[in-house]
Amino acid sequence: TTQSSGVGPTGTVTFSTCGTPPCTAALVPMDANPSAGSPASATATLKTTFTTTGTKTITATYGGDTNYAGAGPSTAATVTVTAAMAPTITSISPNQTTAGGTSFVLNINGTNFVAGATVNFGANPALTPSAITPTLITVTVPASDIAAAGTRGVTVTTAGGTSNSVNFTVNPASTGSFTVSGGSGTIIATPGTTPNTVMIPITVTPSGGFAGTVAITCAAPGTSSGSLPLQASCSSLNIVIPPSTTAAVTQSLTVSLVPPSPNNSAMLVPEMPQLFPEHLGSPRAWEYVSAGTGFAAILLLLVPGRKRYRAALGLGLVCMLSFALGCSSGSGGGGGGPIATTTSLAVTPGTKNPAQATVTVTPVSGAAAQGTVTLTDATTALSTQITLNNGVGMQTLGIAGAGTHALTASFAGTATEAASQSAPPLNITITGGPQSVTITGTSGSTSTGTMKVTIN
């Protein structure tokens, strides 16, 4: 409408149809102080819920205010109302527990779940979910709802109705006991692949009326006697023993092994040779230089002229230096420092379960090194001394403990030969035979058993 007072329209709008009367809403000006003579407008919004289905015809009538006359009814608008669909439950997890337990989280899978849904758990009619999606409801069931054994019906209620009922079983608290036994399995570790696994059968045998869920675990690698080998792990497993049964229940436990690296091979990186005077030539070569420069100095002394004395003096100095170097090379010493060496390490018959290690120490001069080499296993921090015989040392390997071991050979050096170390570490794999692993089942009481895992 067009106004002349400089204020927007206010008042009430009445709708002809709504879900729950009164069907009125306040009019809110779009501009509280419009310019004089310009169009003015306002909006009224009604939020309602229809309780019946079908096509609804709606008109709006403005009652007016002190500045604006009433108007209406408006042109009709139609709204089609359909029935909200009732929810359905397809499964629940978990579907049972033991009486007297603590509160737990219940996951309800299904369809047509909407905001505002409530969960009915047995006699408790209105558990409020912590999360709702169209296909999943998560709700916490209090301990008081599972204090006694029995069957609880689980349903979901929304505006569309109440779902089908799915049973949840609360088993009696067990007074019996159980035993745990394990099978065996072999894992073949393939380098560079995803973790290798093996399924090992685990059996729980009840007695004395035991019923309930037995949680199966195994000790973490390297934590105690009977634990899994290094790089191995065991998944969690729950074995359910139903009430009123004496039959053993067997399920599979997954044991995984981290695969070895495809690069577990050793390579020899020799040290850069250190050049000392003795490496610059043989003793005989230095003698030739010394003799030649000395002879040239004598000839210059016989030639007339003063400058010959300076040249003869220079050649004489070269002669003396050459003679000294020749003597130094011939004697093998002379203050040049220890000769550089390289140390290499190899194992046989291969890097898996080797039986012998061979260490070779080679001086740059090509001579046969003597002395001792320390063979160190970085994995176990154990060391072995190996005596060199003409530059080669051999050692029978007796490494304990399955898994990967990093070996390094370190030459201690001598008065004439510098120390050196093999690099990088040589990784070897010890597989060992069947290894007993302790498994534990817990459900109020505890029982232990063993399984055997062979790692190749």
Side-chain angles (χ1 to χ4, degrees), residues 180-182 200-204 216 237 239 249-251 253 439 451:
V180 177
S181 60
I200 297 181
I202 303 296
T203 300
V204 175
I216 302 297
L237 175 65
I239 298 180
V249 177
T250 300
Q251 293 185 17
L253 181 70
I439 53 177
M451 63 183 180

Side-chain angles (χ1 to χ4, degrees), residues 181-189 196-202 228-229 232-233 251-257 431-437 439 450-456:
S181 60
S184 61
T186 299
I187 302 178
I188 299 177
N196 310 124
T197 60
V198 64
M199 307 296 286
I200 297 181
I202 303 296
L228 283 167
S233 62
Q251 293 185 17
S252 294
L253 181 70
T254 301
V255 178
S256 302
L257 178 69
T431 61
Q435 302 182 48
S436 295
V437 180
I439 53 177
T450 59
M451 63 183 180
K452 288 190 175 181
V453 181
T454 301
I455 300 176
N456 289 337

Side-chain angles (χ1 to χ4, degrees), residues 152-177:
R152 313 287 195 271
V154 178
T155 61
V156 174
T157 298
T158 67
T162 299
S163 71
N164 56 304
S165 180
V166 176
N167 286 337
F168 183 95
T169 302
V170 181
N171 298 312
S174 176
T175 57
S177 61

Side-chain angles (χ1 to χ4, degrees), residues 333-356:
I339 300 173
T341 64
T342 57
T343 299
S344 62
L345 171 64
V347 293
T348 53
T351 56
K352 185 172 84 171
N353 297 325
Q356 181 174 275

Side-chain angles (χ1 to χ4, degrees), residues 260-261 263-266 345-358 375-380 395-408 424-431:
S261 167
N263 301 318
N264 274 357
S265 59
L345 171 64
V347 293
T348 53
T351 56
K352 185 172 84 171
N353 297 325
Q356 181 174 275
T358 302
L375 180 63
T376 303
D377 178 1
T379 305
T380 61
Q395 176 69 33
T396 300
L397 293 174
I399 297 176
T404 299
H405 296 258
L407 303 184
T408 302
L426 175 61
N427 293 323
I428 64 172
T429 302
I430 305 298
T431 61

